[in-house]
Amino acid sequence: MRRVTMASVFGFCKGVENSVALAEKLIAEHPGEKLYTTGDLIHNRAVVEDLRARGVESISGPEGHEKGIALVRAHGITPDEYRRYKEAGFGIVDGTCRLVRRNQRLIAESKKPTLFIGKEGHPETISTMAHSTMPCMLISSVSDLDRLSKEVGYNAVIQTTASQELVSAVKEEIVRQGFNVSFLTDVCNSSARRREAVRKLCTSCDTIVVVGDVHSANSQALRALAEKEGRRAFLIQDVSDITPEILESDNIGLTAGASVPMNVIKNVRRFLKYGENSGTADTDG
């Protein structure tokens, strides 16, 4: 039997848990009403498809849609998007992760030019930077620091799921070049604990399987970390993505991003251990 070791931290983070709970509450309390999410609620295909099947549609904006209730995705939305929904007559329920909301507030209140350290094009990056009332610069690689001036003081806000390697490299370069930067936040604790759990897995496992969406920054960071530790690493969304190459290993470490439901994780674990048609119950984790 293949050995599959679970990471010590997995399942929904608090921000995702809150967003999904709000969606469940809207479904229960507003039967027959038009329900929407402002983009995919979280970065998980199974959850988004389940919500769609239950009448909650993911939309990119209010235009062309019947008025209803819009649940703001965990990654947040821009002030302009909020205004458009309100002006179109939609009710709005805020499902933004509290840490993302904190970052939005800090950027909005900053009296200095602000650096946002994170992934270009990520919805959290877009929504957070849009709250800035001062010049706001995206730092997605160390080379982006070339645009900074030593004559200017900056505040810095970090994407909640940013790569710790990126953050560490940026901080080191800021110190080396002598830029005046005040860091207001760091990577969220949940993301940091997941990455430490993967480091531990890498000490005893040959292969690391990360369950998570291909668009999930924290899932991609987990895979990159395992590869940096010298392990074969795979990012899959669910059981259907398991390949023969993955199954070549007899010693697999299993982890998951912050938006992956427990039933998906358990199904992957069962498949990795016993095979598709074993019918064996996953009773030990």
Side-chain angles (χ1 to χ4, degrees):
M1 183 187 302
R2 192 175 292 107
R3 177 187 173 196
V4 179
T5 304
M6 295 290 294
S8 59
V9 182
F10 51 88
F12 285 166
C13 68
K14 290 297 183 182
V16 168
E17 190 176 83
N18 177 66
S19 296
V20 173
L22 284 174
E24 294 287 350
K25 184 178 181 181
L26 286 176
I27 292 170
E29 295 182 354
H30 298 273
E33 293 189 46
K34 296 296 292 184
L35 301 178
Y36 305 95
T37 58
T38 62
D40 291 348
L41 183 65
I42 61 175
H43 275 153
N44 184 267
R45 180 173 62 191
V47 171
V48 171
E49 290 179 352
D50 176 67
L51 290 175
R52 183 181 297 114
R54 298 163 66 193
V56 183
E57 183 181 357
S58 172
I59 59 176
S60 59
E63 295 80 12
H65 297 284
E66 183 181 340
K67 285 190 295 186
I69 300 174
L71 174 58
V72 176
R73 63 186 300 169
H75 300 108
I77 58 175
T78 69
D80 179 66
E81 288 175 297
Y82 188 92
R83 176 189 57 77
R84 284 162 47 207
Y85 279 102
K86 290 294 289 185
E87 290 180 353
F90 282 64
I92 299 179
V93 175
D94 192 0
T96 308
C97 165
R98 65 179 181 83
L99 296 180
V100 174
R101 194 182 304 119
R102 175 204 61 186
N103 286 354
Q104 292 173 344
R105 175 179 57 79
L106 288 172
I107 276 190
E109 294 175 351
S110 177
K111 302 304 181 185
K112 303 177 184 178
T114 308
L115 311 179
F116 185 80
I117 302 170
K119 184 177 180 181
E120 184 175 6
H122 191 280
E124 180 185 337
T125 300
I126 294 169
S127 76
T128 307
M129 291 184 67
H131 282 75
S132 177
T133 56
M134 295 289 287
C136 188
M137 184 187 306
L138 175 62
I139 306 296
S140 57
S141 68
V142 171
S143 63
D144 290 330
L145 296 173
D146 293 343
R147 294 177 288 161
L148 271 59
S149 168
K150 293 182 180 179
E151 307 304 317
V152 176
Y154 302 88
N155 283 327
V157 172
I158 299 173
Q159 181 182 341
T160 59
T161 57
S163 161
Q164 191 62 61
E165 287 69 30
L166 169 64
V167 174
S168 297
V170 166
K171 287 183 175 180
E172 289 174 7
E173 187 65 12
I174 284 172
V175 171
R176 190 186 72 80
Q177 293 201 40
F179 292 120
N180 179 11
V181 180
S182 299
F183 282 83
L184 306 182
T185 68
D186 208 332
V187 175
C188 86
N189 186 54
S190 173
S191 294
R193 289 189 295 111
R194 286 171 197 273
R195 291 168 196 180
E196 182 57 34
V198 166
R199 287 190 182 93
K200 292 181 179 179
L201 278 184
C202 289
T203 65
S204 60
C205 301
D206 303 323
T207 297
I208 304 297
V209 173
V210 181
V211 186
D213 193 277
V214 294
H215 301 295
S216 165
N218 72 90
S219 298
Q220 292 176 350
L222 293 174
R223 179 180 61 179
L225 174 58
E227 290 175 341
K228 184 179 179 181
E229 295 290 324
R231 299 294 178 262
R232 293 197 319 152
F234 300 88
L235 175 60
I236 67 172
Q237 296 194 85
D238 52 36
V239 167
S240 67
D241 291 333
I242 296 176
T243 63
E245 184 182 6
I246 294 174
L247 298 176
E248 289 175 359
S249 176
D250 293 325
N251 185 11
I252 297 175
L254 180 61
T255 187
S259 299
V260 184
M262 281 303 304
N263 67 302
V264 174
I265 299 169
K266 288 185 175 182
N267 286 342
V268 169
R269 180 182 186 274
R270 184 164 48 245
F271 190 106
L272 292 174
K273 283 194 72 172
Y274 305 112
E276 181 177 11
N277 298 314
S278 69
T280 304
D282 191 11
T283 59
D284 56 343

